[in-house]
Amino acid sequence: MCPSMSFPSEAAPALLSWATEELRSAGVPRPRHDAGALLDDALEILQAGVRRRAAREPLEYVRRRTVFRGLELEVDARVFIPRPETELLVEAALGLPPGATVLEPCTGSGAVALALKHERPDLDVTATDRSAAAIDVARANAQRLGLRVHFAVVDGVSGAYDAIVSNPPYVAETEAGMGSLPPELERHQPPDAFWAGPDGLAFHRRLVRELGGTRFVALEVGDGQADAVCALLAAAAGLRCTARVRAPSGAVRVVVAERAAP
């Protein structure tokens, strides 16, 4: 249960005074009455939001929005909240050849695909997710931002692309209930977006078997997973890791692999 909440004694009167003067100066009848009614409504909304956040619901869900590489995206409990570190995935793909076809599996809110299309309009970007609800969120974000990305409900990789860029699930299920994950993640975000088998590599193993002739791959990885993912890319897909991008924490967060030119 959440504790009872109260506001600083000086906050409400100051807001009421400001609102009343604003309405009075605009010639609104009964400015004190209207200001009080509006303040009551605003405080109810604030209390509801604070209670949700106190229950450790992510702020992004409470506010229904987040910012990713300068793009404001709408998010809710249907999708994983994109993190600042995932912006490295977009940066890794900015050097793709003009007109390249790009697939982003596990798109969630569409953050990576939309940011890539925004910064490289020439790219032909497709975003997929096995969750139809997530695709609804991503498509709505694309429409609101005016970005032309192809969306489809697909589990894994389907079709041939020049490049694949993805932030797949990579949290080991052995961490469940251990207290190592923040409650904002473990309690509230869609579990299919982060659990990935006993060692966190279940999706990476599957993905590398579906790459076909893809020549460029950029994948987000968890702490300590870079070597294993690079080995999987080499053994199953014949791709060589050419870059390991570190997050501000110092951990490798993105691996880039490429196929040698024939």
Side-chain angles (χ1 to χ4, degrees):
M1 294 181 63
C2 295
S4 60
M5 298 181 179
S6 60
F7 297 94
S9 59
E10 70 279 4
L15 287 171
L16 180 60
S17 175
W18 166 80
T20 300
E21 289 306 312
E22 287 289 313
L23 297 180
R24 180 178 290 119
S25 65
V28 173
R30 302 191 305 165
R32 173 65 173 75
H33 172 274
D34 289 7
L38 291 170
L39 181 58
D40 286 345
D41 290 346
L43 291 180
E44 286 181 9
I45 293 170
L46 175 60
Q47 284 183 310
V50 171
R51 288 193 179 99
R52 291 173 64 185
R53 188 66 187 102
R56 302 300 295 270
E57 184 175 353
L59 178 63
E60 294 86 351
Y61 288 169
V62 176
R63 302 182 72 212
R64 296 186 62 86
R65 61 185 183 275
T66 191
V67 175
F68 185 83
R69 288 190 72 85
L71 298 179
E72 185 171 277
L73 305 173
E74 294 185 359
V75 294
D76 57 36
R78 292 175 290 176
V79 295
F80 187 76
I81 299 167
R83 302 182 308 156
E85 289 185 345
T86 302
E87 295 187 3
L88 298 171
L89 199 57
V90 178
E91 294 176 10
L94 290 178
L96 287 169
T101 57
V102 184
L103 172 67
E104 188 214 354
C106 306
T107 192
S109 65
V112 170
L114 294 171
L116 194 55
K117 184 66 176 180
H118 179 254
E119 298 177 43
R120 285 287 310 274
D122 62 292
L123 297 177
D124 184 356
V125 182
T126 298
T128 63
D129 201 289
R130 60 185 173 184
S131 165
I135 289 296
D136 287 343
V137 174
R139 185 177 285 116
N141 278 323
Q143 291 173 347
R144 186 173 51 81
L145 293 169
L147 295 170
R148 191 164 185 264
V149 170
H150 313 290
F151 293 100
V153 179
V154 175
D155 186 4
V157 176
S158 177
Y161 298 88
D162 298 320
I164 290 179
V165 179
S166 182
N167 174 20
Y170 58 73
V171 179
E173 292 176 2
T174 52
E175 294 189 41
M178 299 298 290
S180 57
L181 301 177
E184 286 83 354
L185 174 64
E186 193 165 4
R187 292 183 198 166
H188 295 281
Q189 300 196 47
D192 286 350
F194 56 91
W195 295 129
D199 62 356
L201 294 175
F203 188 89
H204 289 84
R205 288 193 182 90
R206 176 183 170 186
L207 179 65
V208 298
R209 294 194 299 267
E210 299 175 344
L211 292 177
T214 302
R215 306 193 63 81
F216 175 96
V217 176
L219 300 175
E220 185 162 336
V221 297
D223 292 354
Q225 293 179 343
D227 288 345
V229 172
C230 283
L232 287 171
L233 286 162
L239 292 163
R240 180 175 64 88
C241 279
T242 56
R244 301 181 184 212
V245 186
R246 295 186 181 274
S249 66
V252 175
R253 188 59 69 230
V254 172
V255 296
V256 177
E258 299 180 71
R259 192 180 305 281

